[in-house]
């Protein structure tokens, strides 16, 4: 967005060489740059990108020395987001006014990625192994159960939570119910409270 600031983060590690995050316009002119002194250990680097007045930019990861640089997940999020939803999509929900929203959706709930505990840690630490035939890949629940509940409350939507009865054990479902509705003195209610939801 060319009208707001953004928050950028990246996970990186290197053999001591600096990493430069560069924003270039469509003519390859440097618009903004942030240099990061990376270390040999994985670390999350986060900073705010000022309002740049461009609606199309290239992002380059640049190094200026010989060595090894490893980069992992990175994110650029407009700071006017609502619960991780970009403002233009939040406006659509406001106009649409759905009365109910199912979660998780589609076939996601039927796979291991739909397990409730894979969506409650901080966003960039979630990993959910998904099995596609013989292939297993990691797919993260960007909207976990607590973000979903916050989202429903924010937009006045009735939550409709589903679970895969064939994929998980009865105890998994009982633990999930305790996570959703248990008192904060219970094991899974306390887990929910730890992430900011006493109720």
């Amino acid at each position: 967005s060319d009208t707001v600031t953004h928050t950028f983060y990246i996970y990186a590690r290197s053999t001591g060489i600096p990493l430069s995050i560069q924003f270039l316009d469509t003519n390859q002119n440097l618009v903004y740059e942030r240099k990061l002194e990376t270390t040999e250990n994985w670390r999350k680097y986060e900073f705010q990108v000022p309002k740049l007045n461009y609606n199309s930019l290239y992002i380059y990861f640049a190094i200026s020395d010989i060595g090894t640089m490893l980069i992992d997940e990175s994110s650029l999020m407009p700071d006017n987001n609502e619960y991780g939803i970009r403002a233009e999509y939040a406006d659509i929900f406001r106009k649409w006014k759905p009365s109910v929203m199912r979660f998780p959706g589609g076939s996601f709930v039927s796979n291991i990625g739909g397990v409730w505990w894979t969506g409650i840690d901080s966003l960039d630490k979630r990993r959910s192994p998904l099995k596609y035939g013989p292939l297993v890949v990691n797919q993260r629940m960007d909207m976990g159960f607590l973000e979903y509940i916050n989202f429903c409350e924010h937009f006045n939507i009735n939550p409709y939570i589903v679970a895969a009865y064939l994929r998980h054990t009865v105890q998994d479902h009982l633990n999930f119910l305790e996570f959703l509705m248990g008192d904060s003195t219970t094991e899974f209610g306390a887990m929910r409270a730890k992430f900011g939801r006493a109720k």
Side-chain angles (χ1 to χ4, degrees):
S1 174
D2 58 351
T3 60
V4 298
T5 61
H6 290 68
T7 296
F8 179 89
Y9 74 73
I10 186 169
Y11 279 87
R13 72 183 178 97
S14 77
T15 53
I17 56 177
L19 172 65
S20 176
I21 313 297
Q22 301 174 347
F23 292 78
L24 284 72
D25 65 18
T26 53
N27 295 317
Q28 302 295 303
N29 298 310
L30 183 64
V31 174
Y32 179 77
E33 181 178 30
R34 186 67 175 256
K35 293 183 178 178
L36 307 173
E37 294 298 326
T38 57
T39 65
E40 292 186 6
N41 297 318
W42 282 107
R43 183 177 151 199
K44 180 181 182 181
Y45 300 87
E46 187 171 19
F47 58 88
Q48 190 176 63
V49 179
K51 185 169 66 173
L52 297 176
N53 298 317
Y54 289 87
N55 60 17
S56 182
L57 290 170
Y58 294 99
I59 301 176
Y60 282 78
F61 304 135
I63 57 175
S64 57
D65 204 346
I66 296 173
T68 301
M69 172 69 66
L70 297 173
I71 59 174
D72 199 343
E73 176 179 346
S74 62
S75 170
L76 182 68
M77 176 64 77
D79 288 330
N80 65 343
N81 73 86
E82 299 180 42
Y83 293 100
I85 306 295
R86 292 175 63 100
E88 57 268 35
Y89 296 110
D91 289 341
I92 290 172
F93 273 93
R94 224 171 256 108
K95 293 172 185 172
W96 179 21
K97 298 179 181 176
S99 60
V100 66
M101 186 165 120
R102 173 187 150 156
F103 186 84
S107 61
F108 194 79
V109 69
S110 299
N111 217 314
I112 195 168
V115 179
W116 64 273
W117 60 81
T118 64
I120 61 170
D121 205 343
S122 59
L123 180 64
D124 50 342
K125 292 181 180 175
R126 297 176 190 171
R127 293 293 179 268
S128 303
L130 292 178
K131 189 169 174 56
Y132 295 99
L135 181 66
V136 176
V137 297
N138 282 319
Q139 180 173 330
R140 185 182 67 200
M141 288 183 74
D142 279 10
M143 178 181 274
F145 286 98
L146 297 180
E147 287 100 347
Y148 163 72
I149 294 297
N150 290 336
F151 181 86
C152 286
E153 288 180 349
H154 185 69
F155 290 100
N156 196 28
I157 301 170
N158 291 303
Y160 175 39
I161 298 172
V162 297
Y165 70 95
L166 290 176
R167 178 67 64 174
H168 312 118
T169 68
V170 171
Q171 190 60 53
D172 288 335
H173 294 301
L174 293 173
N175 294 345
F176 183 35
L177 285 172
E178 184 175 288
F179 176 78
L180 292 173
M181 299 182 294
D183 187 88
S184 58
T185 59
T186 64
E187 179 184 356
F188 295 99
M191 185 186 295
R192 180 197 65 241
K194 183 178 110 177
F195 291 102
R197 295 287 308 203
K199 296 184 179 180

